[in-house]
Amino acid sequence: MRQRIERIGASTVSTVRELGRFFVFGWSVGNAGRRPPWRLRRLRDEIFDVGILSLIIVCISGLAVGMVLGLQGHNTLVRFGAEESLGAVVGLSLVRELGPVLTSLLVAGRAGSAMAAEIASMVVTEQLDGLRMMSVEPLDFVVAPKMLAMALVMPLLAGLFITFGIFGGYVIGVVVLGGDGGQYLSALEDAVNFGDDVLGGLLKAAIFGVLVGWIASYRGFHATPTSAGVSAAATATVVIASVATLIFDYFITALWGV
Amino acid sequence: MTEGARQPPGDESAEYAPTPVHIDVRDLHFVRSGRSIFEGLSCGFPRGKLSVIAGASGAGKTTLLRMLARLLRPTRGEIWIDWEVDLTAMSEADVRTYRGEVGMLFQRGALLDSMSVYENVALPLRERTTLPEDRIRTEVERAFSAVDLHDVGDLLPGELSGGMVKRAGLARALIQRPKILLCDEPFSGLDPPTVRKVETLLQQVRRSSGATMILTSHHTHSTRRIADHLVMLNGKRALEGTPDALIAADEWVKDFFLEPERSEST
């Protein structure tokens, strides 16, 4: 019994310590990143890595999700004679929830894991120590541009996901199942409010971007300097960032109504 | 040969002053993952000389070198630079200043693999100085020529051979004209002719720069050829002196250095 309590205590202390390190890390990156020199070239490169290289996967996934929504939505709405609301169902689902959340999960899987693995391999090959020996702060030089790029790119990718999703819903609901195109678009326009829904959804995506970038950088930066440590950092990033996205999604929705 | 205790700085009664010591390590203790690496390690590194830290695998050669770079801090003990400042007690701001005077060649080069070799070597100047780009180019060319590296500026580090990576890493370490040059296993993973080239290069660098050079190495041949001063990590303590003096005075050091040579000749 006593051993069990000790184990729970040790595990709690370890979790609290890890959380503390996580927040201190985020604070340090924020401090390092807001001081000049502004690393715009590195930011541009990171935006390319996170954003441009995720474009295809985000667009295809958005299209597929929109098509599924169109199909499921049409089949359900027909039962109630409300198939003219398909545009509203597809649009609201994508803009408020599925767009930001699924984009975050996709980006965590592709760019987040790559980011963690890249930073972790820099730890293994002593590249971060090499920077320190040149009095270049790795948090400023390596981590801050990556985190900022993730936060900037996530809303843009979510916007693309939503656009392709709405198009996918249109293809199924209108072109394949023979619904009215005008009705689809007018229902969409009536239901989706730009300020509350669109901007709210994109803000949510930006928060997920910060979260994924933060977790990926933290796991990479504190990776065990071995090849197993690199893969562990990448795996942990995908798992933790995905779960964190879903948990934060609930709290953002519950507290802000976005 | 000296072993163990050294006198504190500023102590007029100190017996110790055989050579001008640039870096003095005193009573160093270090515990990692519950394992004691050093227990009262003391040694010195003379100014302007090429010192080699040698010892068996796991003796703490790289650990000591990383402490001299302040990439690691000891559990206890002091590392005096010029008898003036204790590296272990420096603030982060002072460490940044100190590192401006220290160059380090890492075992695998530690070049940033997302940047070209030229950008890697130019990085310290771009980050720490306000030199115009044409002056930086001149300095990079000078550093490349000092390590006998040509026409590789546009390549990525992944496109270089092991020896070229070491030389590029050395060029980056030298570009700020350091007063102290730390090299972690500069001969590891190189074929014998390249080892000889790197040896010659390091000796040339020492002569031309006058920097205090500290290498870790388990290459006994290279150590005997190039070391002015040898620090042998024996257990958790150190023996130090010239290579020949240490080999003559200590049976363990003799076995460590001469056994591989005997094995090769049979």
Side-chain angles (χ1 to χ4, degrees):
Chain A
M1 182 66 184
R2 187 181 161 181
Q3 277 182 337
R4 189 176 291 173
I5 292 170
E6 279 176 355
R7 271 203 301 274
I8 293 170
S11 159
T12 308
V13 168
S14 159
T15 306
V16 170
R17 186 177 293 145
E18 187 74 7
L19 270 175
R21 277 181 9 155
F22 179 69
F23 283 107
V24 168
F25 177 80
W27 176 260
S28 307
V29 175
N31 268 338
R34 69 186 170 79
R35 285 192 300 262
W38 314 113
R39 305 195 181 279
L40 297 178
R41 216 176 109 198
R42 290 192 66 77
L43 179 63
R44 181 201 64 192
D45 293 345
E46 296 302 337
I47 286 175
F48 180 84
D49 282 351
V50 176
I52 308 294
L53 299 182
S54 302
L55 272 180
I56 291 178
I57 182 179
V58 165
C59 292
I60 292 174
S61 303
L63 190 66
V65 169
M67 290 165 78
V68 171
L69 273 179
L71 197 58
Q72 293 280 18
H74 183 268
N75 290 343
T76 308
L77 291 170
V78 159
R79 288 192 218 162
F80 304 102
E83 60 267 35
E84 71 277 2
S85 302
L86 182 64
V89 170
V90 171
L92 280 176
S93 309
L94 281 167
V95 169
R96 292 179 68 97
E97 280 303 323
L98 294 177
V101 171
L102 292 182
T103 305
S104 176
L105 297 181
L106 288 169
V107 172
R110 203 213 71 79
S113 59
M115 186 182 283
E118 186 186 345
I119 296 175
S121 69
M122 291 178 84
V123 174
V124 174
T125 54
E126 299 178 310
Q127 291 178 47
L128 299 186
D129 284 336
L131 286 171
R132 290 187 184 102
M133 286 312 294
M134 292 181 268
S135 300
V136 178
E137 178 50 60
L139 290 181
D140 163 43
F141 191 81
V142 176
V143 177
K146 286 183 187 296
M147 278 179 63
L148 185 57
M150 191 68 95
L152 290 174
V153 160
M154 193 73 89
L156 302 176
L157 290 175
L160 265 177
F161 186 99
I162 292 164
T163 308
F164 272 77
I166 289 170
F167 176 68
Y170 183 90
V171 168
I172 295 299
V174 176
V175 179
V176 177
L177 299 173
D180 188 313
Q183 263 183 354
Y184 180 90
L185 292 175
S186 64
L188 177 71
E189 194 181 338
D190 290 343
V192 177
N193 179 288
F194 182 78
D196 289 344
D197 300 325
V198 177
L199 289 186
L202 296 183
L203 176 68
K204 205 186 240 187
I207 293 170
F208 294 157
V210 172
L211 202 59
V212 173
W214 190 352
I215 291 167
S217 307
Y218 176 78
R219 299 308 303 190
F221 204 80
H222 292 96
T224 312
T226 59
S227 52
V230 175
S231 66
T235 309
T237 294
V238 177
V239 174
I240 296 171
S242 301
V243 174
T245 295
L246 297 173
I247 292 173
F248 267 72
D249 182 43
Y250 170 77
F251 283 110
I252 294 169
T253 308
L255 297 176
W256 292 352
V258 176
Chain B
M1 184 182 77
T2 59
E3 181 183 0
R6 303 169 73 81
Q7 302 299 322
D11 186 345
E12 296 300 325
S13 65
E15 285 177 23
Y16 174 76
T19 50
V21 172
H22 194 170
I23 302 173
D24 195 65
V25 174
R26 301 174 64 232
D27 195 26
L28 218 58
H29 291 70
F30 187 60
V31 178
R32 184 168 49 198
S33 306
R35 180 178 160 242
S36 175
I37 312 285
F38 302 135
E39 288 176 3
L41 177 82
S42 295
C43 57
F45 298 95
R47 179 183 300 284
K49 300 288 184 191
L50 196 157
S51 302
V52 174
I53 303 169
S57 297
K61 301 186 290 290
T62 298
T63 301
L64 179 56
L65 198 75
R66 290 172 71 81
M67 284 179 182
L68 299 180
R70 242 300 279 268
L71 290 170
L72 270 180
R73 288 177 90 162
T75 314
R76 208 176 68 193
E78 296 164 354
I79 299 173
W80 289 90
I81 311 294
D82 281 329
W83 298 118
E84 286 172 2
V85 284
D86 178 8
L87 189 54
T88 63
M90 266 186 193
S91 68
E92 284 304 315
D94 289 340
V95 168
R96 276 195 287 277
T97 310
Y98 167 70
R99 285 181 182 154
E101 298 180 350
V102 179
M104 186 158 181
L105 169 61
F106 289 84
Q107 191 167 350
R108 283 173 285 187
L111 300 175
L112 297 174
D113 41 32
S114 59
M115 292 174 145
S116 71
V117 175
Y118 175 87
E119 285 175 324
N120 264 286
V121 177
L123 187 62
L125 295 182
R126 285 184 176 152
E127 288 291 323
R128 291 186 54 87
T129 69
T130 53
L131 289 176
E133 198 54 37
D134 55 339
R135 179 74 197 287
I136 289 176
R137 180 163 289 279
T138 311
E139 290 293 315
V140 173
E141 295 299 336
R142 183 190 61 81
F144 276 149
S145 114
V147 298
D148 195 25
L149 206 55
H150 307 285
D151 302 325
V152 296
D154 294 333
L155 299 180
L156 290 171
E159 297 172 295
L160 301 183
S161 67
M164 289 165 111
V165 167
K166 300 257 186 200
R167 281 186 280 159
L170 191 56
R172 189 177 70 178
L174 289 174
I175 199 157
Q176 289 191 99
R177 302 171 196 263
K179 292 179 182 165
I180 299 168
L181 183 61
L182 308 173
C183 304
D184 188 14
E185 297 285 0
F187 312 117
S188 70
L190 302 179
D191 57 73
T194 313
V195 166
R196 293 303 291 262
K197 270 189 202 166
V198 175
E199 281 175 17
T200 310
L201 183 61
L202 290 172
Q203 287 174 310
Q204 280 171 355
V205 166
R206 184 184 60 78
R207 275 195 295 272
S208 61
S209 69
T212 300
M213 290 177 65
I214 304 169
L215 282 61
T216 62
S217 180
H218 61 269
H219 276 241
T220 52
H221 290 82
S222 301
T223 300
R224 289 191 76 185
R225 279 195 291 263
I226 66 171
D228 300 314
H229 181 79
L230 176 64
V231 174
M232 280 298 293
L233 298 184
N234 179 8
K236 295 169 178 70
R237 293 170 175 273
L239 303 169
E240 60 179 312
T242 63
D244 289 341
L246 273 186
I247 288 167
D250 190 280
E251 201 59 31
W252 177 75
V253 178
K254 187 176 167 185
D255 284 347
F256 186 89
F257 273 85
L258 300 185
E259 195 56 41
E261 291 174 19
R262 285 194 206 110
S263 306
E264 276 177 26
S265 62
T266 54

